[in-house]
Amino acid sequence: MAKSITRLLSAAIVMLFGAALLTKCASTMTPTGGPKDTLPPVIVYMNPDNFTTNIDTLRPPKIYVEFNEYVQIKDQQKELYTSPAMKKKPSVVRRGRGIVVTIKDTLRPNTTYAINFGSSIQDNNESNPLHSMRYVFSTGDTVDSMYMSGYTADSYKADSVSKSFIYFFIADSVERPTEWDSTMFKYKPQVIARAEKNGIFIAQNLKPVDYRIYAFEDTNGNMEYEPSVDQIGFLDTTYNPSKMPGFRIWFDSLRHYPSAEPQLYFRMFMDRRFARQTLSGQERLNRHKAMIYFGAPNPEITSIRFDSIPEDRVIYDPKSVGRDTVAIWFDVEPEMLPDTIKGEITYFKHDSINNLVESTDKLRLAWVKVETKEEREEREKLEKERAKAEKMGEEWVEPEKPNPFKINIQNSGDYHKYKRLEFDFDYPLTKFDTAQITLQMTTEQQSEPRDVKFSIVQDTLNRQKYELKVAWEPKAKYELLIPAGVFENVAREKNDTIKCSYTGADPDKFAIVNVNVRSTHPHAKYILQLTNAQGKVQREILNVTPGKYTFEYVTAGDVMLRVVEDMNGNGKWDTGDMVLMRQPERTEIYKNEDGLETLTTKENWEFDLDVDMDVLFAPITMESVVKMLDDREDERLKKLAEEMTKKRKEEANKKNNQGSGMGFGGMGGLGGMGGGLGGGLQSGTMGGSMGGSMGSGNLRR
C-alpha cells in the first residue's frame, strides 16, 4: 500500500512539473502558415519505467525516453546533474524521437537516484525546453518519497539567488559540528536539489531522517563549493521532512517551472575565510605601471624592491574592492626606465598546511612599446608628407603631437552637496598646485563673478582619484579654471588648460525622503541605504539609532530603502563564516503598508517613511518569508501588467487604432498561481529572524 501511495504521489509531482506538456498535440512540425509552436515536447514512453526499483548497481540498464516529436539536447554539461552525484555524469544521446541515457558509474546499494535534466531537452523546431524533467530509480526495494522546499536569498541584497545547489547530508552520516563545521569539505551529500531563477527549490526523494542542509551558488558550474568564489548558506539545525507541515506546490505558467511555498530559508554570503594567499600573477601594462595579483585580499607585504629604481620612487597602490590587486607606479623619467625591470617582493603567503609564512618571490616586469594600428597609420601618413615636401624642396615641420596627459572630469552639469565632482587621472600625480586653480560663482542676485572657496581631496582608496569639494548654492553658475601645468604625473606629463562650467542643482527638481526610525533598543545601530530599483546604493546614513533622518536631493524615480542591522557598530555590513557557524549580519528591505518595496519618488515632493526596527528585524518565520515573496510576486506581476498595457497601447497607436491593455490581476501572488498539492508533501519551518510588514509610508507635496 505504501509503495502505491509513493508511486501515486511521485506521479502527481511529475505531472505537475510538466503541466505545460499535457496540452501539446502530437505533430512534430509546425504547419505552414499556422501559429508558432510554443509548447515543449511530451514524454510518451520510458524504459525502464520511471521509479523503477532494484536496479543493478554494477550493470545499470540504459534508459530510453521517447517523446512525441524529435528533440535536441542543449547545455547538457550545465543543466544535467544527478542526485546523489555520480563520479562520471551519465551520457545522453539522441535516438529517433527519444534519448538514450547511459550510466557510467557503479551505483550505491539501497539508494534512490534522480537524473535531473534541467531544461536541456528541447524540441527540434522552436527549441521549446522541457523544464524540470527528472528520471528516478532505486537500487533498493523502495523509492525515497519525502519532499522539502526552500528559498535561497542574498543576505546583503535581500534578493533571490538563482540556480544554487542545495546539499542534503544525513545527520547520522557526518560528524556533529561543535566549534567549527567542515561538512562541505569532508563529505558527499546524499541528496542534491537546485533552486530555480526565483531562488525557490523543491528537494525530492528524501528519507524520513534528520538532514544537515547547505546551499551554495555554483559560479564555476563544477558542482563543488569554492570558498571566496561561491556564495554559501547554511542552517543552524537539522531538519526531518517527515516532521514538517505540508506545503503547496504549483507550476508557474509564466516562468515555466515548478514553484512552491518555501519551508527552509538560506541567507547566502561570500565566505572568504579559505582564500589562499599567494602571488598569482604579475604584468607591466605600460612604461610606468605594473600590476601584481594575489590569491586573497589584503596581502601583508613586507617589502618591494627593484634593482634599477630607488625605493622612494616606487608608488604602492592597492586596487579593487577585494584589495587583492596591487598597482606599482614608477616615479622616474621615461628614458631612465629599462624595458625589463627586475626585483623581488617579500610577503606572507599560505604554505602547504595553510599557515601564513614570510616568503620572497622574484619579480620580472617586461614591457615593449607596441605600435597601435592608429599610431602606425599616423606615422605612415607623416612619413609620406615629409617625403613629398623633401621631393618638392620644401621645408617640412612635424605637427605638434597631442598632449598625452589624460584627466577624466565632467566639464558641465548640475551639482549639490551629495553629488561628487571627481577628477580621475590615468597616472598618480607628482605635482599638484591648487593655488593656481580658480572657481568663480555668479547668481541671479549677483551677476559679477566672485571667487568661491573650495578644496580638492584625494580619495583614500584610489590615489588617481580626487574630489572637488564646494558648498554648492542652488541655481548658481560656476566657472572652474585649471591653468596649464597645474598637474604633473609620474610620466612627467602636464595638463593643458581646462575650463568647466557647472550649475548648483535646484532643490525643487528633486525629492526628499524622511525616515523616522523607531526601536525599543536605543543602543542598537543600523545603516540606512537608499538604493535604486536594482538595489545599487545611491546614498547611505551610518550609525543610525532611533530618531529622524533625511535623504535630500533624491532623483525622481523608483527607489528602495535597505536597512543593515549593524550588530558590531563598525559602519559596514559583515559577511558570515560557515566554518565558525556565524551567520552574516541581517539586511532587510523596507515595505510600505501595501507590501511594496519599490517607492516612486517625484520632483518637489517629500516622502515620510516610518520604520519600526522591532518589526523590520523581527524573528524570521516561514510565514513571514512566504508573505515577503507573495508581496514581491504581486509587485512583479503588477509591473508586468503595466509593461504589457504600455506595449499594447504603443502597438495600437502605431496602427492608429484604439487598443486596450492586458492585465494579470487575476493571477494573485506567489501562492495564487495554481492549486496546491497537500497531504503527502512534507515541509517545515526554520528558526531565526526576519521581518514581515515593516511600517508605513506617506508622501506629501
Side-chain angles (χ1 to χ4, degrees), residues 557-629:
D558 290 343
V559 298
M560 296 190 298
L561 179 66
R562 180 193 294 137
V563 184
V564 178
E565 190 178 31
D566 190 9
M567 299 294 290
N568 56 11
N570 64 353
K572 65 178 183 178
W573 173 81
D574 291 308
T575 188
D577 190 316
M578 184 195 69
V579 172
L580 295 181
M581 298 175 286
R582 185 181 69 237
Q583 296 284 1
E585 288 182 334
R586 281 183 63 189
T587 65
E588 298 294 346
I589 303 295
Y590 165 84
K591 291 190 293 188
N592 64 14
E593 63 272 14
D594 297 322
L596 299 180
E597 296 177 337
T598 303
L599 311 172
T600 302
T601 60
K602 300 179 181 180
E603 291 184 7
N604 201 26
W605 282 65
E606 284 195 47
F607 293 76
D608 297 328
L609 307 182
D610 187 56
V611 183
D612 187 338
M613 296 301 184
D614 295 346
V615 176
L616 187 63
F617 291 97
I620 292 176
T621 65
M622 292 320 300
E623 289 79 8
S624 65
V625 174
V626 171
K627 185 181 186 307
M628 174 191 69
L629 294 175

Side-chain angles (χ1 to χ4, degrees), residues 438-453 470-480 502-504:
T438 60
L439 180 66
Q440 292 188 322
M441 178 185 73
T442 58
T443 65
E444 294 178 355
Q445 296 77 25
Q446 185 178 3
S447 58
E448 287 296 319
R450 61 182 177 88
D451 290 339
V452 178
K453 290 184 179 180
V470 60
W472 301 99
E473 289 192 19
K475 303 180 183 181
K477 303 296 182 182
Y478 294 84
E479 297 292 333
L480 177 68
Y502 307 105
T503 302

Side-chain angles (χ1 to χ4, degrees), residues 77-249:
Q77 289 300 317
K78 182 176 68 174
E79 291 289 330
L80 187 142
Y81 71 96
T82 65
S83 173
M86 299 180 185
K87 292 181 180 179
K88 296 180 180 179
K89 277 190 175 183
S91 68
V92 183
V93 296
R94 292 186 300 170
R95 191 177 76 185
R97 289 191 177 183
I99 58 172
V100 175
V101 182
T102 303
I103 297 173
K104 300 180 178 181
D105 261 349
T106 299
L107 303 177
R108 306 177 193 175
N110 299 313
T111 301
T112 296
Y113 281 88
I115 303 175
N116 300 270
F117 294 85
S119 57
S120 62
I121 305 301
Q122 304 178 7
D123 69 27
N124 206 40
N125 296 319
E126 302 292 346
S127 299
N128 298 309
L130 172 56
H131 293 281
S132 304
M133 174 180 161
R134 301 177 81 245
Y135 180 86
V136 181
F137 64 90
S138 175
T139 57
D141 295 332
T142 60
V143 173
D144 297 329
S145 58
M146 296 278 99
Y147 297 82
M148 276 195 281
S149 65
Y151 176 61
T152 55
D154 187 303
S155 58
Y156 174 65
K157 296 179 181 178
D159 200 3
S160 304
V161 177
S162 66
K163 297 298 182 180
S164 298
F165 278 106
I166 296 84
Y167 279 7
F168 290 77
F169 300 86
I170 296 177
D172 289 344
S173 69
V174 298
E175 58 190 287
R176 182 173 179 270
T178 52
E179 295 181 358
W180 62 81
D181 186 356
S182 59
T183 305
M184 284 289 287
F185 304 107
K186 294 176 63 174
Y187 302 99
K188 299 294 183 182
Q190 284 84 7
V191 175
I192 300 173
R194 183 164 61 183
E196 294 290 353
K197 291 182 180 179
N198 61 356
I200 292 176
F201 66 86
I202 303 168
Q204 304 179 56
N205 307 114
L206 297 166
K207 296 178 181 292
V209 299
D210 290 344
Y211 286 94
R212 300 201 67 83
I213 313 171
Y214 303 78
F216 71 96
E217 186 180 22
D218 189 21
T219 307
N220 292 335
N222 57 6
M223 289 190 69
E224 293 183 3
Y225 168 58
E226 298 180 66
S228 78
V229 175
D230 300 324
Q231 287 199 92
I232 185 77
F234 66 94
L235 303 182
D236 297 319
T237 186
T238 61
Y239 290 90
N240 186 327
S242 66
K243 298 178 181 178
M244 301 168 79
F247 67 99
R248 289 184 300 154
I249 181 173

